[in-house]
Amino acid sequence: SVEWPDALDACMRLVPSLAPALAAMWGPGAVSIHVETSRNNWSPLPVYGSLLQGVLYGHSVFCLVISIALARATFTFAATATECEAQGNPTHAACWRSILHWAYVDDILLQIPLDILGHALQVIKTELALLKLQLEPSKCRCHIGGHCEDCN
């Protein structure tokens, strides 16, 4: 789950005027949620310092945090492209520069040339992990269309 420091950091970077209001909503201690542990048996589960799914601010703050992960990944993609160019491989550089991404609520859509798919997904997975988020393989889908013209 997204932790408060990461969420507040994303807010301060992207919409600093909202950071004080967001910080004021979070008090010290735990929020108790109840989970069904067996049929009709509910037990409290204390949650410390993380966003709760379903609360009014959850989606917007989650999107801020995802945008930080995607910005970091984009920086890595650009650095990798520059490295490929320096090594005399403009074809792979073009692949790294052609990566596109979109985020909506809690989903990410990535457009990645097949030639670098594994490496690029590892970059995304690493950046998400730094923010305590996991790429959920059971929800991942891959559509393989045509190759990037410069990646052949």
Side-chain angles (χ1 to χ4, degrees), residues 42-74:
W42 293 79
S43 298
L45 174 68
V47 177
Y48 297 90
S50 62
L51 293 180
L52 297 175
Q53 192 171 17
V55 296
L56 293 177
Y57 61 84
H59 288 292
S60 55
V61 174
F62 183 81
C63 286
L64 290 174
V65 173
I66 284 292
S67 69
I68 295 293
L70 291 174
R72 289 178 185 168
T74 298

Side-chain angles (χ1 to χ4, degrees), residues 131-149:
L131 295 169
K132 317 253 182 334
L133 297 171
Q134 293 181 342
L135 191 62
E136 182 58 52
S138 67
K139 293 183 178 182
C140 293
R141 300 294 180 269
C142 187
H143 170 75
I144 301 175
H147 287 280
C148 165
E149 288 181 20

